[in-house]
Amino acid sequence: MAEIINGKEIAENILNNIKKEVENFDIKPALAVIIVGCNPASKVYVKNKIKKSEFLGFNSILKELPENTSKEELLTVIKKLNDDENVNGILLQLPLPKGLDEKDFLDEISPIKDVDGFTTYNSGKLFKGEKPYAVACTPKGIIKLLEAKNINLEGKLAVVVGRSNIVGKPISALLLQKNATVIQAHSKTKNLSEILNMADIIVSATGKEEFIKGEMIKKGAVIIDVGITRNKNGKLTGDVDFESVFNKASYITPVPGGVGPMTISCLMENTLELYKLQKGME
Ligand code: GUN
């Protein structure tokens, strides 16, 4: 039977430490969140991000733009936030509505305000093994979960399922930095079951409901489930069939309460770190 990694608890510890530190600041860190359109999942994520930043005593700025926002309008909003010295972090919630291409906007965010670590500057630094201003929040949170459990990655075979810019690619870079041997699997990968069966660590970020079954994993594997989908019964489920995998794995993250809360805590930590960099405190 696996040990369940309690992401909620680890994430709350991070938030409490940030809260204590920020209490001593006269000027509070400020996070700006831009949401374009009305994607329901994005609305919930953004609401949670604003709520958490307020809980920490941060200043939060919410820019809600309509579905039909033009490229020029969105660029103007980003530019104003870049130029505003009272704003420390800028987050553009993805996905953008049809007609707007994220490639036209992410690199317009000043790298030192890029709390998501999605600019070419910050992701490039990550891929070169250099220090970015900020590392993407979900991958950063996953590494913190593994560290909290003292899971050694050196020489281990880590299989990442998914190759998104938000999770798959940056988590592979971070695992590689920890000297894991990394396989980047994705929707076109052949013989995925055989590959998963060799893995010491599996990070799955596909959004395919419960597709990783106990019989596909090696005994004692560490399972990190990034997927979160609402199934037809209205229940939140991950990429992993929890019951069958739980009996065989050594560690497993639950859904909900695993990776999700870590993402938001790391976003807050990134905001604080960028604030300190901008103020010359680090
Ligand atoms: N959409 C889903 N995850 C994320 C994230 O981590 N950051 C942003 N900006 N958008 C997202």
Side-chain angles (χ1 to χ4, degrees):
M1 265 185 348
E3 182 180 335
I4 297 174
I5 305 180
N6 188 340
K8 191 162 178 274
E9 190 179 293
I10 298 166
E12 273 169 12
N13 281 338
I14 295 170
L15 289 179
N16 289 333
N17 288 337
I18 297 173
K19 194 167 196 282
K20 266 191 228 136
E21 188 173 349
V22 168
E23 272 166 10
N24 301 318
F25 296 169
D26 293 332
I27 302 171
K28 305 299 184 192
L31 172 64
V33 179
I34 309 168
I35 176 166
V36 189
C38 46
N39 178 308
S42 292
K43 286 224 163 211
V44 174
Y45 293 142
V46 165
K47 201 175 106 198
N48 288 336
K49 289 169 185 176
I50 297 288
K51 220 166 87 185
K52 280 288 183 294
S53 65
E54 285 173 356
F55 163 77
L56 295 177
F58 288 6
N59 292 323
S60 60
I61 299 130
L62 175 59
K63 298 278 183 199
E64 287 179 293
L65 307 178
E67 190 93 16
N68 62 357
T69 299
S70 69
K71 179 176 170 185
E72 290 66 34
E73 283 165 335
L74 181 52
L75 288 173
T76 304
V77 170
I78 293 171
K79 183 170 188 324
K80 277 200 182 133
L81 294 169
N82 279 337
D83 293 343
D84 186 342
E85 63 179 40
N86 296 316
V87 171
N88 306 109
I90 304 171
L91 181 149
L92 175 62
Q93 186 65 30
L94 303 175
L96 293 173
K98 271 205 195 83
L100 294 176
D101 185 343
E102 65 190 50
K103 286 200 289 296
D104 292 332
F105 304 101
L106 290 177
D107 275 331
E108 297 303 318
I109 297 172
S110 165
I112 203 164
K113 294 191 176 185
D114 169 26
V115 269
D116 264 326
F118 290 167
T119 56
T120 303
Y121 178 87
N122 284 322
S123 51
K125 285 278 184 192
L126 176 69
F127 279 88
K128 290 208 286 180
E130 296 171 13
K131 201 174 167 353
Y133 292 124
V135 171
C137 305
T138 302
K140 183 175 178 173
I142 292 170
I143 295 294
K144 281 181 188 284
L145 289 178
L146 296 169
E147 284 174 350
K149 294 294 166 190
N150 287 318
I151 294 165
N152 180 22
L153 298 169
E154 187 157 314
K156 300 285 172 62
L157 181 63
V159 176
V160 174
V161 193
R163 53 174 158 179
S164 69
N165 292 330
I166 294 180
V167 184
K169 286 180 197 150
I171 188 61
S172 287
L174 290 173
L175 291 166
L176 193 58
Q177 261 176 37
K178 297 270 184 191
N179 294 322
T181 301
V182 181
I183 293 179
Q184 185 102 51
H186 48 79
S187 54
K188 301 281 190 292
T189 298
K190 293 196 174 122
N191 307 324
L192 181 61
S193 292
E194 279 117 86
I195 296 170
L196 289 177
N197 211 271
M198 298 189 297
D200 299 303
I201 296 140
I202 296 172
V203 177
S204 185
T206 69
K208 276 192 218 154
E209 196 184 315
E210 295 183 341
F211 88 99
I212 296 181
K213 311 280 184 202
E215 73 227 27
M216 293 158 83
I217 72 158
K218 184 166 94 173
K219 192 166 170 23
V222 174
I223 310 294
I224 306 292
D225 190 351
V226 186
I228 184 156
T229 41
R230 201 170 283 282
N231 71 12
K232 53 184 186 310
N233 304 321
K235 189 172 159 265
L236 288 175
T237 52
D239 288 356
V240 173
D241 174 33
F242 191 87
E243 264 171 53
S244 63
V245 170
F246 175 69
N247 289 319
K248 222 168 155 191
S250 59
Y251 291 93
I252 185 167
T253 61
V255 175
V259 174
M262 294 302 289
T263 297
I264 203 153
S265 286
C266 289
L267 173 66
M268 300 302 136
E269 191 176 88
N270 282 354
T271 306
L272 174 62
E273 285 173 3
L274 294 181
Y275 166 95
K276 290 202 243 177
L277 277 171
Q278 289 160 32
K279 304 261 179 237
M281 291 163 76
E282 293 206 324

